[in-house]
Amino acid sequence: MLSGRFPVWLFSLILLALSNTTTANMLNGEKVEEVEWEQLMPADFSLDELLGITDEMAMIDDFDPKAQELLDQMMSAMQSAPVVPEVDGKMIRIPGYVVPLESEGQTVTTFFLVPYFGACIHVPPPPSNQIIHVNFEPGTHVENLYDAVWVTGRINTETVSNDMATSGYIMEAFQIEPYDL
């Protein structure tokens, strides 16, 4: 049992900790939900089913004309992966990697946010439900594309396509910060 007065400094410290926790979950007066990439795929989503992968495909030689036809079909399926309508209009915070689309120097204003480094650049793009087209009007300074970031903003289910990839979501970002655990 505690005796005497509760130290004012301890009470202040507790209030500060609680206010920081609350602020981290609020932005512009709205509750922010921290989202993982898996939450942007429907629960019954299967990449194998979407792509129609079969054992027969493993037997096709790379130089077989049917291989290119199958690749084209798979890429088309990846660009139309189903989204989760329940996230439409929500304020979210999600970690990811920046794939610049519009920039001036190292300041990026429009980019794809993707779940892993190299997506859309060094390897084929992920399914469209794993790509977010982000607009951040003030722009963000990107020194190194290897560095992950947290992006907080309003997400919507809308398709955006360009030569690089197709996204199933768009986001108006309000805050971008380094990814630190």
Side-chain angles (χ1 to χ4, degrees):
M1 179 185 229
L2 293 175
S3 61
R5 279 184 27 170
F6 194 72
V8 174
W9 65 268
L10 185 56
F11 182 71
S12 299
L13 186 64
I14 291 169
L15 283 179
L16 180 61
L18 288 174
S19 70
N20 283 342
T21 303
T22 306
T23 326
N25 296 327
M26 299 289 287
L27 184 66
N28 297 340
E30 289 186 60
K31 185 177 187 283
V32 175
E33 181 181 338
E34 196 167 296
V35 171
E36 297 293 328
W37 285 96
E38 294 79 26
Q39 293 173 267
L40 298 180
M41 296 185 287
D44 61 349
F45 177 75
S46 164
L47 191 55
D48 288 346
E49 285 181 31
L50 177 73
L51 299 177
I53 293 176
T54 64
D55 291 337
E56 294 171 30
M57 290 180 168
M59 301 302 197
I60 296 175
D61 184 75
D62 287 347
F63 299 105
D64 185 329
K66 185 152 175 94
Q68 184 61 49
E69 182 183 317
L70 287 171
L71 178 63
D72 293 343
Q73 289 173 1
M74 288 173 30
M75 292 305 292
S76 178
M78 297 273 281
Q79 293 173 353
S80 59
V83 296
V84 177
E86 292 80 14
V87 301
D88 192 53
K90 285 190 174 184
M91 198 65 126
I92 70 163
R93 180 177 190 237
I94 187 166
Y97 294 87
V98 172
V99 178
L101 298 174
E102 293 179 26
S103 62
E104 189 170 314
Q106 290 182 325
T107 302
V108 179
T109 55
T110 305
F111 58 93
F112 282 141
L113 187 69
V114 294
Y116 53 88
F117 173 75
C120 303
I121 298 173
H122 302 294
V123 296
S128 57
N129 61 14
Q130 294 293 281
I131 302 175
I132 303 171
H133 184 268
V134 179
N135 289 308
F136 187 58
E137 195 52 47
T140 187
H141 184 74
V142 177
E143 267 185 52
N144 192 342
L145 296 178
Y146 291 102
D147 296 334
V149 295
W150 283 105
V151 179
T152 305
R154 185 170 318 286
I155 192 168
N156 292 101
T157 55
E158 186 176 318
T159 302
V160 174
S161 293
N162 70 18
D163 294 341
M164 194 176 296
T166 298
S167 67
Y169 298 97
I170 63 168
M171 177 188 280
E172 189 64 37
F174 297 109
Q175 188 175 47
I176 297 176
E177 52 198 340
Y179 179 80
D180 291 322
L181 284 177

